Amino acid sequence: MHLSRRQAAAGLIALPAAAAPLSRAFAQPISSVQLPSDTATEPPTRVDTGHDGYEHMLAPVTINGQGPFQFLMDTGANTSVISRDLAQRLMLAGTEPARLHTIVGVRERPGVIIDRLQVGQRSRKAVRAATLPLTSGIDGVLGVDWLDGQRLVLAFKDKSISIARSVRDVTRDGSVVVPARRRMGQLTIVDADLGGKPISAMIDSGSQMTIANSALRELVAADNRRSGGGDSYPRVTMETLAGEPFSGEMLYLPFLRLGGLQLGNVPVVHADMHVFDLWGLKDKPAIVLGMDLLAQFDTVSLDFGRSLVRFDLAAGQFTPSGPLVRPA
């Protein structure tokens, strides 16, 4: 059985192990990053996005004047990556290998130098990138090294991404602004809880599914036991964009609060991955918010300058029987 993005986001399917989907969750590259010294004077840029078979947002990118190539916008990666095949085709100059921490472990990968990498009106020179054997026809990954002090807008309804200056923002009708903090370049929502118990929530547009660690699973299991439910969940099989397989359990969070947002019956995959160790969250309830959840909104804006996340609510989230997502 195929688990579509909208079915997963709405919590409409419970999958048996025999029908487990093959899903994608991109690794988190963590290597030394040379951030641009002055991004404040750069012009804002907007580009239309495409999608791969797993609903990731793909932005057109030119490399050394060639392209466009399709790069995945990944807020869970703090450095950019290019596919091994494309690097070879463009005959990019090699550099020292990079140690990449993926969601399943640590890998050392060959490095290359990109003389000029451009997205819309924005460009970088002498970009160091790791190479990976990417799948699904993706040419590379844009990490948050592009976003030092900037604001990234993922517009799911309009199918575009925008990069602009950090701006002051407040909650208003139809949108909710949530405080966050920087953790290894990524933004972590700090005002979040599951049934009143505080949790950490990372935002990862490179992961198709939302992923929870064992500490968060135990919160769900304890609640199920108190209500007389069981502690067994269907198995699912997943893999990273680099083809690394891993498995987990599909479960549902009865109530999740992200700042001023309340979400009910949220589907997540429990998989106690290396990335939680890397972030120092192995023993603390934590969740990685993937595209299945993020794409429910019209837009999600990540302000890396002010450490804020804004969710713009979609009209379809309000139904006669009650909202799936609503302001708290």
Side-chain angles (χ1 to χ4, degrees), residues 251-318:
L251 58 145
Y252 292 84
L253 308 183
F255 180 84
L256 174 65
R257 184 181 66 83
L258 303 174
L261 289 176
Q262 296 179 356
L263 301 91
N265 200 33
V266 178
V268 302
V269 172
H270 161 242
D272 225 359
M273 310 306 297
H274 167 74
V275 69
F276 292 112
D277 291 335
L278 183 67
W279 289 331
L281 295 173
K282 179 179 179 180
D283 301 319
K284 301 176 182 178
I287 190 171
V288 174
L289 304 178
M291 286 293 289
D292 60 325
L293 183 59
L294 298 176
Q296 290 192 62
F297 301 95
D298 277 353
T299 62
V300 176
S301 304
L302 297 92
D303 196 317
F304 291 85
R306 298 179 185 270
S307 294
L308 295 172
V309 180
R310 191 184 81 192
F311 298 92
D312 292 320
L313 306 180
Q317 290 168 309
F318 296 87

Side-chain angles (χ1 to χ4, degrees), residues 2-325:
H2 175 66
L3 181 66
S4 74
R5 184 194 74 203
R6 296 194 178 278
Q7 288 169 324
L12 300 178
I13 290 180
L15 293 172
L22 186 65
S23 186
R24 302 278 172 170
F26 184 62
Q28 321 294 325
I30 305 292
S31 64
S32 59
V33 179
Q34 292 184 334
L35 293 172
S37 59
D38 184 11
T39 57
T41 59
E42 290 190 276
T45 192
R46 175 191 178 279
V47 296
D48 293 331
T49 58
H51 292 84
D52 66 0
Y54 300 94
E55 302 299 334
H56 295 118
M57 299 186 82
L58 304 181
V61 170
T62 60
I63 296 176
N64 299 345
Q66 299 185 59
F69 305 106
Q70 296 301 308
F71 273 51
L72 183 152
M73 186 70 243
D74 187 357
T75 61
N78 78 339
T79 191
S80 298
V81 172
I82 186 170
S83 80
R84 180 183 59 195
D85 291 345
L86 180 58
Q88 292 173 348
R89 193 162 80 240
L90 298 179
M91 296 184 290
L92 299 180
T95 185
E96 65 272 10
R99 282 174 58 83
L100 302 182
H101 290 263
T102 78
I103 200 169
V104 298
V106 183
R107 302 288 185 270
E108 186 172 277
R109 300 299 308 171
V112 295
I113 294 288
I114 299 173
D115 293 335
R116 183 181 179 88
L117 191 154
Q118 184 164 350
V119 181
Q121 300 302 309
R122 299 240 171 162
S123 65
R124 298 281 183 271
K125 295 181 179 179
V127 176
R128 294 177 180 269
T131 62
L132 282 175
L134 299 176
T135 60
S136 301
I138 293 173
D139 297 314
V141 173
L142 288 175
V144 297
D145 49 337
W146 272 78
L147 304 168
D148 181 37
Q150 302 290 285
R151 178 184 183 86
L152 170 69
V153 179
L154 305 173
F156 300 105
K157 182 179 180 181
D158 294 338
K159 298 181 180 179
S160 68
I161 63 169
S162 301
I163 304 173
R165 294 183 185 181
S166 171
V167 298
R168 188 178 301 276
D169 211 348
V170 296
T171 295
R172 57 179 61 88
D173 287 347
S175 70
V176 174
V177 177
V178 183
R181 68 170 175 265
R182 296 286 291 273
R183 184 191 294 270
M184 294 186 176
Q186 293 84 19
L187 286 179
T188 307
I189 292 175
V190 295
D191 184 17
D193 67 68
L194 180 68
K197 302 292 179 59
I199 66 171
S200 295
M202 309 292 290
I203 296 178
D204 188 355
S205 63
S207 176
Q208 183 198 5
M209 294 294 297
T210 296
I211 299 175
N213 67 357
S214 288
L216 191 140
R217 179 197 186 279
E218 178 53 33
L219 291 181
V220 177
D223 184 67
N224 284 346
R225 289 192 294 267
R226 284 192 295 270
S227 60
D231 193 15
S232 178
Y233 305 100
R235 302 292 300 179
V236 296
T237 300
M238 306 178 73
E239 65 180 37
T240 71
L241 288 177
E244 302 164 302
F246 63 97
S247 62
E249 302 172 295
M250 177 69 76
L251 58 145
Y252 292 84
L253 308 183
F255 180 84
L256 174 65
R257 184 181 66 83
L258 303 174
L261 289 176
Q262 296 179 356
L263 301 91
N265 200 33
V266 178
V268 302
V269 172
H270 161 242
D272 225 359
M273 310 306 297
H274 167 74
V275 69
F276 292 112
D277 291 335
L278 183 67
W279 289 331
L281 295 173
K282 179 179 179 180
D283 301 319
K284 301 176 182 178
I287 190 171
V288 174
L289 304 178
M291 286 293 289
D292 60 325
L293 183 59
L294 298 176
Q296 290 192 62
F297 301 95
D298 277 353
T299 62
V300 176
S301 304
L302 297 92
D303 196 317
F304 291 85
R306 298 179 185 270
S307 294
L308 295 172
V309 180
R310 191 184 81 192
F311 298 92
D312 292 320
L313 306 180
Q317 290 168 309
F318 296 87
T319 67
S321 60
L324 172 65
V325 179

